[in-house]
Amino acid sequence: MLRRSLRLQLNGYYNSDGVPTVSYRETKVRRHRYRRPVYTKESKVPAEDTFDSSSNENQPRNTFTRFGWIIIVLSLIYGCAYLYSDLPSQSLETFVSLTTTDMVLTPECKNQEKLIVNQLAELLRIKKELEYLLPPADLLTNYALESLGAMILHHMTSKTYQKREGCSLFGLGIQRPTVGPKIVIQGKSHFVPGQCWAFAGSQGRLAIAISYKVSISHVTLGHISKMSSPTGTISSAPKEFSVYGRTHLEDEESLLGTFLYDEDGDRLQTFKLPDHKVGSFSFITLQVNSNWGHPDYTCLYGFRVHGKLAH
């Protein structure tokens, strides 16, 4: 007598005569997450009912969706980096304001776009702080610098304003020492209120002899900002000024440009000369035509000359 399995007997695998029969009382189909398809000999088409793909039919779609989101996020980050590197601070600030007010946020990209806008605003804030600590003028060579041999031509420069303010000691008046025009060409970036050269009135001249013959491209004029001023105003700051150049001292002056110093701008403001003003000069004259309203004097904290050495 053949040995029969007790489990198969209980499940009705054998008939009354003890012959094995097919029983469907056990599980019909075993579900697998993934199984390689079985190919038949007649064709290369997978045999039916070899595996159940219902659990995996969305896997390729989810993979492509995630890959697409990664491409979008990387493109946005690269675009932000490109905009920050090429746009000036004013354009970047305008872009941030337009992005925060006029953009249409989609449900899928709302969080990502808000994050990018916040990062742009933070980059703008950091850029302004860096420009305060290291102004753009500090990145340009300054040829009107005393340490490089530049000198003040006193006979062609306005007289220093003598302030009447002072103190008394035992009834004797003591006048504060005045600051000479040499402070203007010392190349300071951080100005202390009162540490400037003042001339009487709203018009004056400062003549400088530089040690090199320079093709001038930019000039920089410096003054304390309203934030640094004890009174909150800078009425003694220059307003309109002109720059003249000479190759030789006996030559006639050539007007290189007339500019406007913004009282609400940065403390160091750089101005580009017109492109047609080409020439090399060894003597520079700063002519202040007006100030921002002070009736008695005008103050100069710093003046710089930028360009390239003439051959």
Side-chain angles (χ1 to χ4, degrees):
M1 181 177 178
L2 296 175
R3 184 177 180 180
R4 298 182 178 89
S5 171
L6 179 60
R7 180 178 64 82
L8 295 177
Q9 289 180 2
L10 294 176
N11 286 283
Y13 185 77
Y14 303 96
N15 59 12
S16 59
D17 297 332
V19 179
T21 59
V22 178
S23 175
Y24 293 96
R25 294 183 182 181
E26 294 185 351
T27 305
K28 294 182 180 180
V29 179
R30 297 184 64 183
R31 301 176 64 90
H32 298 276
R33 290 189 176 180
Y34 178 76
R35 181 184 295 171
R36 288 185 178 181
V38 178
Y39 293 90
T40 61
K41 296 181 178 180
E42 292 77 13
S43 64
K44 295 184 179 180
V45 180
E48 296 181 356
D49 298 333
T50 54
F51 68 94
D52 183 13
S53 62
S54 59
S55 61
N56 294 324
E57 61 181 359
N58 293 326
Q59 184 176 1
R61 184 182 303 173
N62 294 335
T63 302
F64 284 112
T65 302
R66 294 174 183 174
F67 182 74
W69 275 112
I70 293 175
I71 295 298
I72 292 175
V73 173
L74 291 177
S75 301
L76 291 175
I77 295 175
Y78 177 78
C80 294
Y82 176 79
L83 289 173
Y84 174 73
S85 61
D86 287 353
L87 291 177
S89 59
Q90 184 177 1
S91 300
L92 182 58
E93 186 174 3
T94 304
F95 176 76
V96 171
S97 62
L98 291 176
T99 306
T100 53
T101 56
D102 297 338
M103 68 162 49
V104 179
L105 297 177
T106 59
E108 296 81 4
C109 301
K110 187 175 181 179
N111 295 332
Q112 288 84 351
E113 292 181 353
K114 283 187 176 181
L115 178 62
I116 291 173
V117 171
N118 293 335
Q119 290 176 347
L120 283 174
E122 184 67 15
L123 287 174
L124 180 62
R125 183 187 65 82
I126 296 175
K127 189 173 186 295
K128 288 183 177 180
E129 292 182 357
L130 290 177
E131 288 181 352
Y132 180 82
L133 297 174
L134 185 63
D138 287 348
L139 303 177
L140 301 175
T141 303
N142 177 21
Y143 292 98
L145 192 61
E146 184 182 22
S147 60
L148 290 180
M151 298 182 300
I152 300 294
L153 301 177
H154 292 277
H155 65 285
M156 301 174 61
T157 299
S158 300
K159 294 183 178 181
T160 302
Y161 176 74
Q162 300 292 333
K163 296 182 180 180
R164 298 180 181 180
E165 300 177 356
C167 56
S168 60
L169 179 64
F170 303 109
L172 300 176
I174 300 177
Q175 190 174 4
R176 296 179 181 178
T178 58
V179 179
K182 287 201 306 181
I183 195 173
V184 183
I185 60 173
Q186 290 178 353
K188 296 182 178 181
S189 296
H190 300 281
F191 305 128
V192 179
Q195 294 297 315
C196 62
W197 174 62
F199 57 85
S202 60
Q203 297 181 355
R205 294 171 64 89
L206 176 69
I208 305 171
I210 56 181
S211 300
Y212 307 94
K213 187 179 293 186
V214 179
S215 296
I216 302 175
S217 60
H218 299 75
V219 293
T220 297
L221 188 63
H223 198 277
I224 61 171
S225 62
K226 287 184 176 181
M227 186 180 299
S228 302
S229 175
T231 61
T233 61
I234 51 171
S235 58
S236 63
K239 184 177 181 180
E240 182 185 270
F241 67 96
S242 301
V243 178
Y244 297 87
R246 295 182 183 182
T247 304
H248 303 284
L249 191 59
E250 61 274 9
D251 295 341
E252 187 176 354
E253 290 182 333
S254 299
L255 177 62
L256 303 182
T258 300
F259 312 97
L260 182 67
Y261 185 86
D262 184 8
E263 63 173 342
D264 296 317
D266 298 332
R267 64 189 189 281
L268 280 172
Q269 299 181 22
T270 302
F271 306 89
K272 185 179 184 303
L273 270 62
D275 294 333
H276 63 278
K277 298 293 183 180
V278 179
S280 55
F281 305 95
S282 299
F283 300 91
I284 306 298
T285 300
L286 170 64
Q287 172 70 49
V288 178
N289 303 321
S290 61
N291 63 16
W292 282 99
H294 201 288
D296 297 329
Y297 57 85
T298 302
C299 288
L300 292 177
Y301 281 82
F303 180 70
R304 304 183 184 185
V305 176
H306 313 290
K308 295 182 179 180
L309 292 176
H311 299 287

